[in-house]
Amino acid sequence: MELDAVMGLMSQYGVLILLIITCLEAMNCPGMPAGVVLPAAGIYAANGGMSLFLAIVLTIIGGMAGTTVLYMVGRIGGHPLLEWLNRHSKNLRKANERCAEFLQKNSFRKIFIGRILPVVRTILPLPAGAFQVDPVSFMAASALGIACYNIVCVSAGYFLGYLFI
């Protein structure tokens, strides 16, 4: 999705579309890159469509909604898939054990950092759910990481929007 398309949707449908787009982006839906969606929210705010604070809050809420969906998909469907893979491959079983150990040990810090890194940020909820990472810790670390990432990206769009208006 291009910047003009995102801006057009926000102009046409208002702030509700921002929640939907950021939720889809957090769910790793094709065509919804954070590098376009989040700065577009800032540019929209700079053009008077909403306050910068509201743009940031809405993108965090949308991001958390998408993250929750992916975490639950991993939590409900991931464990049976992992068990099936573990039965059929010794190498996958060892890799799964290492991944589970990695996610369980110091999970808050690792998830927080993972939620800031592009690509990792949208993939992380699935294995976290599948490997049964504590949901409270996962959601808290995700909220903090999403907030940091979104504040930077939305604010960048906001200030760039002011420069080029």
Side-chain angles (χ1 to χ4, degrees):
M1 185 171 279
E2 295 182 15
L3 180 62
D4 291 339
V6 175
M7 296 297 292
L9 286 171
M10 283 190 275
S11 294
Q12 187 174 2
Y13 297 106
V15 295
L16 179 60
I17 199 71
L18 186 56
L19 281 171
I20 294 167
I21 291 172
T22 54
C23 179
L24 293 173
E25 182 273 325
M27 291 172 53
N28 208 16
C29 290
M32 302 287 176
V36 173
V37 172
L38 298 175
I43 292 169
Y44 185 71
N47 286 318
M50 69 181 96
S51 71
L52 175 61
F53 178 76
L54 181 60
I56 291 169
V57 168
L58 290 174
T59 62
I60 293 170
I61 292 169
M64 284 303 295
T67 293
T68 302
V69 169
L70 280 186
Y71 177 82
M72 292 310 296
V73 166
R75 185 113 181 163
I76 294 166
H79 197 65
L81 176 62
L82 290 172
E83 287 177 1
W84 183 84
L85 291 170
N86 288 342
R87 283 194 307 269
H88 290 84
S89 171
K90 185 185 279 189
N91 291 337
L92 281 176
R93 181 179 36 225
K94 289 179 184 177
N96 287 337
E97 288 169 0
R98 285 192 307 268
C99 186
E101 184 180 319
F102 176 80
L103 283 174
Q104 295 294 341
K105 190 175 182 181
N106 299 317
S107 64
F108 187 91
R109 181 174 44 97
K110 291 174 183 172
I111 290 167
F112 167 71
I113 292 168
R115 297 305 301 194
I116 295 173
L117 300 173
V119 181
V120 174
R121 63 188 297 276
T122 55
I123 296 171
L124 187 58
L126 286 170
F131 291 116
Q132 309 286 314
V133 172
D134 175 55
V136 173
S137 177
F138 175 78
M139 291 302 169
S142 288
L144 187 58
I146 288 170
C148 291
Y149 188 85
N150 290 13
I151 287 168
V152 169
C153 292
V154 174
S155 296
Y158 184 82
F159 293 113
L160 287 173
Y162 266 121
L163 289 175
F164 297 107
I165 293 177

